[in-house]
Amino acid sequence: MKIRRNILGGAKIPHSTSQPVIFCENNKYYLAVFVFFYTREDIQSGMIGRPAVWAIADMETGEIINEYRCREKDFSDADFEKKYNVRSDKKYDTSKAYYEAAFSILDTVRSHLIVSGEIDRINYQEYLEKILANIPDDYQKFYRDLSI
């Protein structure tokens, strides 16, 4: 997705970008992602900081509209000083087919929203559940906080 490729201006610093969710501000819907930075030590310990940056993008084009630093404009009430456990014993399905199916659901929700101006909440919930199934428990909070 364009928003994930273009966040941080394509900077080559160790970071990860979330899967997109739908965010609403002032009765307008956007695609949204968050970014967290990590170090080698974070990966080794399985404990990482909370997201530091987030962005909203146009629902149709995926072009980034605004990028925010969480310390300036936040989407979550999570503690900045805490580290979050991203280790899990769960077996995640990270196959291309799994994500293609998830993004197909999101595309259906986006299309419906663009045409009707209304959120298809049933399909959006299915998308969100599919994405969250591959996210460690501690980090699921950030998806829920950013999502509608």
Side-chain angles (χ1 to χ4, degrees), residues 83-141:
K83 294 275 187 162
Y84 297 85
N85 185 358
V86 293
R87 292 222 171 157
S88 178
D89 292 332
K90 288 185 200 174
K91 295 290 183 209
Y92 295 125
D93 184 347
T94 58
S95 68
K96 183 177 179 183
Y98 185 88
Y99 283 102
E100 284 176 352
F103 294 139
S104 177
I105 297 166
L106 180 59
D107 285 343
T108 300
V109 174
R110 287 173 59 202
S111 295
H112 181 77
L113 179 59
I114 291 164
V115 170
S116 72
E118 297 176 357
I119 287 285
D120 174 351
R121 293 204 179 263
I122 292 171
N123 277 322
Y124 182 65
Q125 189 60 39
E126 181 183 350
Y127 164 75
L128 201 54
E129 287 172 12
K130 194 164 190 75
I131 291 300
L132 289 176
N134 279 344
I135 304 298
D137 292 344
D138 275 8
Y139 242 68
Q140 288 181 17
K141 171 184 181 30

Side-chain angles (χ1 to χ4, degrees), residues 39-51:
T39 64
R40 178 179 297 134
E41 293 79 23
D42 293 337
I43 298 302
Q44 290 170 345
S45 71
M47 302 294 286
I48 59 172
R50 57 153 291 163

Side-chain angles (χ1 to χ4, degrees), residues 54-73:
W54 64 287
I56 58 172
D58 182 85
M59 186 64 64
E60 289 185 57
T61 67
E63 293 289 336
I64 294 176
I65 296 169
N66 279 314
E67 198 171 293
Y68 305 104
R69 304 286 174 248
C70 291
R71 290 193 185 265
E72 296 164 12
K73 180 178 179 176

